Amino acid sequence: MIRRSDPYWAGLASDLTIEQTLMRILKSIGGMTRGKGMKEVQRAQLLLSMPVCVAINSLMQALTDTEYISSEQHKECSKTRQERDTKIGIQFLDERKPFAAVNTLRNIETGVTSTDDVNAHQAHEIGSAIINELKCQNVMDVSLKKGRQVVTLKTHSVLQAGNQILPVSPQLLFQRLLVVATSQADDMGNAFNHELCPVPASLFDNTGCMREAQKATLAEALWCFGDCVANPESDETMVYILDGGSLLHKIPWPRGYTFKGICQLYVDYVHKRYGFPSIVFEGYMDGPSTKDFTHQHRSKGIMGMTILFTQGTPFRSKKDYYLANSVNKQNFINLLVASLQTIGCEVVHAAADADVTIVKTAVEWATRKEATLIGEDTDLLVLLCYHAVLEDNDIVFRSDRHVGLT
């Protein structure tokens, strides 16, 4: 950028600077392009006379104490705009707290944190190192390496599985080694006397991940039993127990809403449909759990970036990408739990997998009054069959999409 004056935002690109100096003088009244043809002679005279004309014009302005300037017209310089921006800035700092202690680079507007390879803060040092390498080199011999470029937060704003370290498929590796062995081993017949499978195929698929249980088949069979349909009366004696994991995926997140506004959507939904229920959430910060493979299948390999946020931070990502990151999910659950407790909901936060805790909470409530468990997971029904006590009140297992089962 080139500056011809001192006011803020006065920087100009090089082509605009040429238009305001060399070309302005030659195109104004009395200039070379007014009322004259542009043959080869005129073009040569134009090019050769521009530096001289500019120098003479500058000297004449200095001699006559005349200067061509423009008034301060930028809207950001007005007093009203400055007062408004100051008020918005103070409110932003109070709500977002963007300078909280973090060890990585962070977008103070969206809360997105950087990965270890983001080096935008070292752009000057990287650029200077590249320029020093280019000195005294033939331009045809220059080869710029992609690994030397500056990596910004925007580079990683599109969340994808490409940044994830994917495991090697033991099945594929085993098959390729077997092909190589056919030309190297002396007696391949002995190899076929043993199990030629690196992992049990009944439990693991070709990628090395555990196979998903076909629970949908059991669930559909249960829904078809008409004699187990229950229609409990909804009165003051009824208490609802909600699966928090299913609740998280029930409501869409509008882009641009603050996290406080998203929590309010859940609060309104729960209170309108269930009054003051008991809600059980899973925990995601206590290390490996029995549901890690299930979470990987659900996220389809997506690894969302960690986002640090407050109640006033706007939601700028996609819900699936955001919840694919366990840190993001746990932080949002903590915020949602606080919002639900303010209206009187009883919230239970499990250490890891919440299925057993959900069922035990429903069984415990059934000792006092009739209970309805709201969930979509077939595991909950299986666990209810094991933990339910016949002497207690009825426990109704109900989905938002189906009628209840007792």
Side-chain angles (χ1 to χ4, degrees), residues 5 25 39 43 52 68 101 107 110 134 151 200 229 234 243 245 268 278 306 325-326 336 352 366 369 374 376:
S5 56
I25 297 172
K39 297 181 180 179
R43 283 194 290 270
V52 178
Y68 174 77
N107 186 319
T110 62
L134 298 180
V151 181
V229 174
S234 179
D243 179 0
D268 295 340
S278 179
T306 301
N325 185 297
S326 60
L336 180 57
K369 57 179 66 176
I374 307 296
E376 312 292 339

Side-chain angles (χ1 to χ4, degrees), residues 351-399:
D353 185 19
D355 288 350
V356 176
T357 305
I358 294 171
V359 171
K360 288 186 175 181
T361 302
V363 172
E364 194 275 333
W365 271 107
T367 61
R368 290 173 281 173
K369 57 179 66 176
E370 188 175 356
T372 297
L373 174 58
I374 307 296
E376 312 292 339
D377 198 342
T378 313
D379 291 344
L380 297 177
L381 179 58
V382 176
L383 291 171
L384 272 175
C385 294
Y386 177 80
H387 289 280
V389 181
L390 297 178
E391 290 77 11
D392 293 339
N393 295 309
D394 290 340
I395 300 178
V396 178
F397 178 55
R398 183 165 67 82
S399 167

